[in-house]
Amino acid sequence: MDKSGRGEPGTGGSDARELLRLGAPALLVLAAEPLYLLVDTAVVGHLGVVPLAGLAIGAVLLAQVSTQLTFLSYGTTARAARLYGAGQRRDAVVEGVQSSWLAVGIGITLVVVGQLVAGPVARGLSGGAGPVADAALSWLRVAMLGAPLVLITLAGNGWMRGVQDTVRPMRYVLLGNGLSALACPLLVYGPGALPPLGLLGSAVANVAGQLVAAVLFLRALLSERAPLRPVPVLLRGQLGMGRDLVLRSLGFQACFLSAAAVAARFGASSVAAHQVVLQLWNLQSLVLDSLAIAAQALVGAALGGGAAERARALAWRVARYGLVLGCFFGVLFAALFGVLPGVFTNDVGVLAAIAVPWWFFVALQPVAGVVFALDGALLGAGDAGFLRTWTLLGAGAGFLPLIWASLVFRWGLAGIWSGLAAFMLIRLVSVTARTWSGSWAVLGTVRR
């Protein structure tokens, strides 16, 4: 046994079991939200192209709440996992208390600011005032109320993954998203005595499920009986790592917001098609990332417990598993091309437009499998500065230039998705080289 108590370094069978034990529940957690969004997209899609396009714009904006603030989850996991690996479970939970305080403060601020800027931003991304902008704004006004709840859930997932508990988060997230999925068609279509709320019903269903999940995560935190007071030094430590992860997320979001804005300027059918394929991309990204979540917890614990060789072996093992899973997804989605798009829309124009991004999506699956896996291992080591730098370089040199060139030269969705391909290839080269160097495997409870 190594100092973290989790088996000999590089023991394939032991590592595989641990990855499966942590990764299987994490898979359901990560898949729950995009699966719900696929249900949401399918329900709203049958209202017509304008509500679907409005949801596309609104959902991209709301996604900034979780994706831009992933340090509440990933940063907390990295810090808590090192403490847990060193045998300091109580201190690992205290990291969760601090991230929950940050979640509440940031979430309330987002609600206030979001209500003020929702209108101009929705119109900007929709190409000006019009029915799509109005639909996006009506959805956002309600959905933004769930921002603090989403962030509390992120923080809860972070510390619980750090102490290698992925089963309870799975239950909480599935319950919340399951409630939203059941409520969505009822609120949107209003069968029986219920009045139909249309697109607004989608937003209400979102917030209801988020409330349930947040309450469950807070209850779990309170049951640990850890000190609940804010600790300034720990808050600063989380914010320091958060700075790098936020800048990294800014690179992602500048790209995906630009992609949505440019797609909208090619017409409602293009932006709706982009929304459908993007939701599938988000689904497979998070499913592939389930291995990365497990690796993050195990790598952090190994480094906290003084087992650098085990951490390095885990990183390469999870990359191999990610490659296999990515190849599987590529074959699966290629086979489903004739069937799956029709689940989300029956609009002939949207179905025709989907064909363009679909094959980019299929071809990128193996690349994504390796990239997300190694991202998770490096995040577990707290190597956020490196990931920040190369994400921004990939965005600036690959994704963004091709997105905006698509608008200028009228390349359409093919140009947008070519940008995503360039972005992923740059990231593949960078994380592979970094993992090979081994310089990320720094021992101790806190990476400085």
Side-chain angles (χ1 to χ4, degrees):
M1 301 289 284
D2 65 21
K3 289 173 65 177
S4 64
R6 288 168 181 77
E8 293 298 328
T11 303
S14 174
D15 288 345
R17 286 191 296 272
E18 289 293 280
L19 287 167
L20 181 62
R21 178 180 69 84
L22 297 173
L27 170 62
L28 294 175
V29 170
L30 293 169
E33 180 67 14
L35 280 173
Y36 166 67
L37 290 175
L38 289 174
V39 171
D40 197 16
T41 300
V43 170
V44 172
H46 290 283
L47 292 176
V49 67
V50 170
L52 181 58
L55 176 64
I57 297 299
V60 166
L61 286 170
L62 189 63
Q64 311 316 301
V65 172
S66 55
T67 53
Q68 192 59 44
L69 297 169
T70 51
F71 77 90
L72 291 170
S73 180
Y74 291 109
T76 303
T77 297
R79 293 171 63 86
R82 284 178 176 264
L83 291 163
Y84 180 74
Q88 301 173 31
R89 189 183 193 282
R90 183 180 176 85
D91 291 335
V93 175
V94 170
E95 292 287 345
V97 173
Q98 307 312 306
S99 61
S100 297
W101 278 114
L102 290 173
V104 171
I106 295 170
I108 292 172
T109 303
L110 284 172
V111 170
V112 175
V113 174
Q115 296 297 327
L116 295 175
V117 304
V121 173
R123 288 189 290 273
L125 288 176
S126 303
V132 172
D134 292 342
L137 181 58
S138 67
W139 188 87
L140 270 172
R141 292 285 189 202
V142 175
M144 278 298 299
L145 299 176
L149 308 174
V150 171
L151 299 188
I152 289 169
T153 295
L154 284 176
N157 267 298
W159 73 263
M160 294 178 84
R161 290 169 182 167
V163 300
Q164 300 192 10
D165 180 358
T166 56
V167 173
R168 283 188 297 167
M170 174 192 69
R171 294 171 182 160
Y172 302 161
V173 171
L174 288 180
L175 184 59
N177 281 276
L179 173 64
S180 292
L182 290 173
C184 186
L186 297 176
L187 293 172
V188 169
Y189 300 135
L194 293 173
L197 296 179
L199 182 60
L200 191 63
S202 161
V204 174
N206 259 296
V207 175
Q210 291 158 0
L211 176 62
V212 169
V215 168
L216 291 171
F217 275 108
L218 287 175
R219 189 180 70 171
L221 187 61
L222 293 172
S223 72
E224 295 284 340
R225 301 188 181 280
L228 298 179
R229 66 183 183 278
V231 181
V233 66
L234 296 181
L235 291 171
R236 287 194 296 272
Q238 291 204 2
L239 288 171
M241 188 171 187
R243 175 200 59 223
D244 291 330
L245 293 177
V246 166
L247 289 172
R248 178 175 184 255
S249 294
L250 277 172
F252 285 121
Q253 299 321 310
C255 292
F256 285 105
L257 284 172
S258 296
V262 171
R265 284 158 174 79
F266 292 125
S269 293
S270 288
V271 74
H274 179 70
Q275 164 71 3
V276 170
V277 182
L278 184 62
Q279 290 304 326
L280 288 168
W281 173 264
N282 289 337
L283 170 63
Q284 64 81 29
S285 295
L286 295 179
V287 171
L288 291 172
D289 208 28
S290 64
L291 281 175
I293 293 297
Q296 189 181 0
L298 293 173
V299 166
L303 294 175
E309 287 304 315
R310 180 167 187 262
R312 295 187 185 99
L314 275 164
W316 288 119
R317 185 162 290 113
V318 78
R320 290 194 293 272
Y321 294 159
L323 177 61
V324 171
L325 194 54
C327 290
F328 167 77
F329 271 114
V331 173
L332 175 65
F333 285 115
L336 291 176
F337 173 63
V339 178
L340 197 53
V343 174
F344 305 108
T345 181
N346 53 12
D347 185 274
V348 175
V350 176
L351 289 171
I354 283 175
V356 175
W358 190 275
W359 297 108
F360 283 94
F361 166 65
V362 168
L364 285 171
Q365 297 305 303
V367 175
V370 177
V371 169
F372 298 140
L374 293 181
D375 261 9
L378 295 176
L379 280 171
D383 201 16
F386 172 84
L387 293 172
R388 170 208 65 208
T389 299
W390 278 94
T391 297
L392 294 176
L393 285 172
F399 208 162
L400 286 172
L402 283 169
I403 289 172
W404 293 108
S406 299
L407 179 62
V408 173
F409 297 107
R410 309 301 296 173
W411 292 338
L413 293 180
I416 292 172
W417 282 76
S418 294
L420 176 59
F423 180 55
M424 293 300 298
L425 290 172
I426 290 170
R427 292 175 63 199
L428 175 65
V429 172
S430 66
V431 296
T432 302
R434 181 64 165 182
T435 305
W436 185 269
S437 75
S439 59
W440 50 273
V442 179
L443 300 178
T445 57
V446 177
R447 181 188 174 105
R448 292 181 173 83

